[in-house]
Amino acid sequence: MKKDDLKELAINLPKKPGVLGRDRFFNSAVLIPLIKIKGEYYILFQKRAAHIRQGGDICFPGGKFEEGVDKNFKQTALRETKEELGIGKKDIKIIGQLDTYVAPIGAVIESFVAVVKKRALKTMNIDKNEVEKTILIPLSFFKETKAEEYTLSHEIQPYRYNEEGEKEVLFPVEELGLPDTYKKPWGNKRHKIWVYKYEGEVIWGITSVIINDLLSKY
């Protein structure tokens, strides 16, 4: 490396580091809607329609960042909230953003905290193709309730068997001359899962991770 190459490298280094390899992940954004009712703040959740991916899960309004449609992740969160719940920008005041979350499932989530006007509850227009219903839960419930804790594990699979029982090699360990340890599943990385139960509904996964991060801020 020559001196000029080093200078060019220094110039091209990011001024504000982001997420390495972000374009390989599912990039998304969610809105955390806080609504003040009779002096107490509630979180507005939605339950995903049963027939869609991850149907029946409790989550925040949000979705995939659309290249060419969204200028930034904040716009993604606002657009998805409008599409799913019919709540427009005029009733939403974003007060800040949580840290970027890179989930084990290969998704990057940007979470925006917002105060939503109470009147939006009356003017909501839920997209029934995506949302079964909305749920209001007092913020104090999460502050005062200890979540149940479990663990899940993720294994890296260098091969798999198809429906006919034939072995499909996904990563050619032998051809690449890699150590034998990679010829069988490896990793088995465990991560913690938090579960909240509220009036018959179960809140877990990415949603509970975001909730816990929100609770740590006050």
Side-chain angles (χ1 to χ4, degrees):
M1 178 181 283
K2 297 180 180 179
K3 187 175 182 180
D4 287 345
D5 295 328
L6 186 61
K7 286 182 179 179
E8 184 177 358
L9 172 62
I11 291 171
N12 291 330
L13 291 174
K15 301 299 181 289
K16 184 179 179 182
V19 178
L20 181 64
R22 181 163 202 151
D23 57 338
R24 297 171 57 193
F25 293 91
F26 178 87
N27 288 282
S28 62
V30 300
L31 193 79
I32 306 172
L34 302 177
I35 301 179
K36 192 174 185 179
I37 302 173
K38 295 181 180 179
E40 182 173 9
Y41 280 101
Y42 288 70
I43 301 179
L44 178 65
F45 294 94
Q46 62 187 38
K47 185 170 186 176
R48 297 172 66 84
H51 65 277
I52 66 174
R53 186 172 59 87
Q54 297 174 319
D57 280 358
I58 306 298
C59 64
F60 298 108
K64 182 182 178 182
F65 172 81
E66 296 290 350
E67 194 76 43
V69 176
D70 302 324
K71 294 180 180 179
N72 50 49
F73 290 104
K74 181 188 292 187
Q75 195 171 74
T76 302
L78 291 170
R79 174 180 57 76
E80 289 283 347
T81 301
K82 175 65 175 178
E83 291 176 3
E84 294 173 350
L85 301 182
I87 300 177
K89 289 192 295 183
K90 68 179 185 302
D91 288 328
I92 300 172
K93 180 182 179 182
I94 292 179
I95 62 173
Q97 182 178 357
L98 298 178
D99 291 328
T100 299
Y101 179 51
V102 181
I105 60 173
V108 180
I109 302 99
E110 305 290 354
S111 305
F112 295 88
V113 183
V115 175
V116 174
K117 293 179 180 178
K118 183 181 175 182
R119 69 184 184 190
L121 294 175
K122 294 182 179 180
T123 59
M124 273 196 305
N125 184 21
I126 297 173
D127 180 359
K128 290 294 186 178
N129 288 320
E130 293 193 50
V131 180
E132 177 185 325
K133 65 179 181 179
T134 58
I135 303 167
L136 280 169
I137 302 179
L139 191 54
S140 59
F141 165 79
F142 296 102
K143 198 72 173 177
E144 298 165 1
T145 304
K146 181 175 175 57
E148 297 177 18
E149 295 185 4
Y150 302 92
T151 57
L152 288 176
S153 66
H154 285 266
E155 264 188 348
I156 298 174
Q157 304 281 349
Y159 61 85
R160 67 182 178 187
Y161 291 94
N162 61 27
E163 294 179 355
E164 286 73 39
E166 300 170 333
K167 185 177 180 179
E168 295 181 353
V169 176
L170 305 173
F171 186 59
V173 177
E174 291 187 20
E175 292 180 24
L176 294 171
L178 298 177
D180 288 345
T181 186
Y182 299 116
K183 292 181 181 179
K184 56 186 178 181
W186 76 87
N188 197 25
K189 175 68 176 176
R190 297 193 174 199
H191 68 278
K192 189 177 292 185
I193 295 291
W194 293 278
V195 175
Y196 293 96
K197 295 177 181 177
Y198 182 82
E199 296 185 353
E201 301 291 355
V202 177
I203 302 156
W204 69 292
I206 291 173
T207 302
S208 66
V209 171
I210 294 172
I211 289 171
N212 283 344
D213 191 43
L214 177 69
L215 295 177
S216 71
K217 306 305 181 191
Y218 76 99

